[in-house]
Amino acid sequence: MNRIDKKEAKHLLKQMMQIRQFEDAIMDLMARNIAEGGSHLYAGEEACAVGAMAAIRPDDYITSTHRGHGHAIAKGGSLPELMAEILGKETGVCKGKGGSLHLADVSKGNLGANGIVGGSIGIAAGAGLSIQLRGTDQIVLCFFGDGATNTGLFHESLNMAGKWKLPVVFICENNLYGMSVSVERACAIKDLTKKAVPYNMPAECCNGMDVLAVKDMVTKYAAKARTGEGPALIVCDTYRYYGHSRSDPRVYRTKEEEKSWRDRDCIITFGRKMQEQNILTEKEVTDLEKEVTAELEAAIDFAIKSPDPKPEELYKDVYFESPSS
Amino acid sequence: MREITYRQALNEALSEEMERDQRVFLMGEDIAVYGGAYGVTLNLMQKFGEERVRDTAISEAAIIGAGLGAAITGMRPVVEIMYIDFMGICLEQIGNQVAKIRYMFGGKTTVPLVIRTEGGAGRTLGAHHSQSLESWFLHVPGLKVVMPATPADAKGLLKSAIREDNPILFIEHKMLYNVKGPVPEGEYLLPIGKAEVKRPGKDATVIAYSRMLYFALEAAKRLAEEGIEVEVIDPRTLLPLDMETISESVRKTHRAIIVEEGTKTGGTGAEIGMQIIENCFDYLDAPVLRIAGADVPMPKSAVLEKLAIPDAERIYREIKTLVS
Ligand SMILES: Cc1ncc(C[n+]2csc(CCOP(=O)(O)OP(=O)(O)O)c2C)c(N)n1
Ligand SMILES: [Mg+2]
């Protein structure tokens, strides 16, 4: 394990850089009032989405969260379309109707971000049920935060998945806080893997700042899910760098804590490791960075220049209407 | 009179009632350390301690259920649901338990529970953070629904709500928290279930609440410049509705317009409009007009969001057409 080739190293590093730069760009667009409505940024947690997605196939499904930009990018979303969606533009992946909280790209197997904490966990169980009923060997990765493990839907869905052996890997991105409330203050137990116990599925914790650790862990349980052994819960320890939202003064955590996690930054540590192992050169890393910056600039330019949705779009898509009618 | 924001007015109401009555306590997501997603409970934890200002886990159903349990056993909880859009998660607890328990128990208990929440569009947050769902709750006998528009109303009504022995859904509006208005110094209460005429007039009655009150008043001002005097009434409480004040006005003006931000079909306007027809049919010179949100999930796009809800311009135009 952990030996990877140049191509894969570049892929993982590039995706993490894409997400980081994407989120940094949104922070900047919000400061300039170009992006409205707020966004929950994924910066810091990139290794979770990128590592997990590297362990599954393009035809597998994911369900995402209110902090969903990283999942959408790692599941193969187009940067310009995602950026345009966040700005509410006609060219966005959801035609400007969903926005940051509802990023989805069904064509890529991304069943959507969600404005409701825990709101997509049942959807993941249902996608797993559909796989089982249709008899394919796809799987579902269900992402959610530590805070979501205190919702009713989490418990109801894990029970259902556990009982029916649904092919779902539940991935808890434990960034220590649900908005301002720490796991310690919100949860009756601190070790979130224990929450899988009553639902008869295995659970393991993994270093969510290490993209290869996440990839290995998800690979292990994805294989089980794919071969009918049922679901699992993986808890990735991670950290969000920015506040919960733009207006968050972060009084509930310390600068020291923030620094200690930034010292473990998933992009820096992975880049360094790849150089130490002579898989990537320093120049390759800096070139990747530049490549991503150029991509991002193009995506932002595309999004800003894209038109707003037309007024008649307001009433479209509420219902499906068959083309013949 | 001093001017304070809607947010400050609510904060004062909570603070004063907590000082007055030890049984009052607050519970909700991010209300203590953070001070509330929209800052309404800022500094209350510092003032009253973590026992009485409690951060909960993300567990809306339990927030309501536990609020109810505490309310029927001697406490007076004020619980917060961060966005009204999350109400679906706890609708069972509100609809089946909170609102019905007194009746089902043959009147042998009271439910001094306030559920604070906020709704409305305006921040381009999309379909899960922008809704106006008050009409869902008009269908729940046993509950009272209060929706203040001004800082003074917000304070006086919240204080009354906390002292009331019935469950109250208290719905604020996210776009009003920074709105300033005159608020009397010192103690005062406002009656729940009482509308207020916010602008007198004779040519038509406009019923508007929450953020729409401001748009209706703006439209009324413009209409007045053209010689059309509309009376603007804020019901302030939607359940029970003060039909006396509304009917009295409609019998005088012979025209009624209801403005609401929520989607039109099955909305508040449908209920108020029907009650106007039941009470004032013989006095009406024109069909009752509803100006409401489009029957669509709230779109993210700022351009579409604006189109999805009424604004002053649209209210002005539609009233003008009706009256002339
Ligand atoms: C049902 C529901 N309750 C509350 C919220 C408000 N809210 C949005 S994100 C969030 C914190 C979620 O914490 P967690 O699940 O740990 O995810 P994180 O934000 O840390 O990624 C809260 C309380 C919501 N969107 N939905
Ligand atoms: Mg979290």
Side-chain angles (χ1 to χ4, degrees), chain A residues 40 45 65-67 101 114-119 144-149 151 173-180 240 244, chain B residues 29-30 58-60 82-83 86 89 128-129:
Chain A
H40 304 102
E45 306 187 18
T65 68
H66 58 282
R67 197 175 301 289
L101 280 166
N114 210 302
I116 303 301
V117 170
F144 49 87
D146 46 282
T149 67
T151 66
E173 298 174 320
N174 179 6
N175 59 12
L176 306 185
Y177 300 89
M179 202 161 153
S180 69
R240 70 168 146 74
H244 176 72
Chain B
E29 292 160 20
D30 305 284
I58 304 170
S59 306
E60 283 80 9
M82 197 186 286
Y83 284 78
F86 311 158
I89 297 163
H128 290 173
H129 290 74

Side-chain angles (χ1 to χ4, degrees), chain A residues 23 76 106 109 141 149 171 191 241:
Chain A
E23 301 298 57
V106 180
L141 297 188
T149 67
I171 301 180
D191 176 2
Y241 287 175

Side-chain angles (χ1 to χ4, degrees), chain B residues 271-299:
Chain B
E271 178 56 36
I272 300 179
M274 194 62 212
Q275 290 202 38
I276 290 171
I277 291 169
E278 284 171 345
N279 285 283
C280 316
F281 184 75
D282 291 338
Y283 296 85
L284 286 171
D285 285 348
V288 175
L289 177 68
R290 284 185 284 166
I291 303 175
D295 280 326
V296 302
M298 191 59 68

Side-chain angles (χ1 to χ4, degrees), chain A residues 36-37 96-97 150 180 185, chain B residues 30 55 59 123 125 300-301:
Chain A
E36 298 172 278
K97 289 179 173 170
N150 296 318
S180 69
R185 293 181 64 236
Chain B
D30 305 284
D55 275 330
S59 306
R123 293 193 57 217
L125 293 173
K300 151 70 194 178
S301 147

Side-chain angles (χ1 to χ4, degrees), chain B residues 62-81:
Chain B
I63 292 171
I64 300 298
L68 173 60
I72 59 174
T73 52
M75 301 301 289
R76 306 189 72 84
V78 181
V79 302
E80 178 177 310
I81 299 295

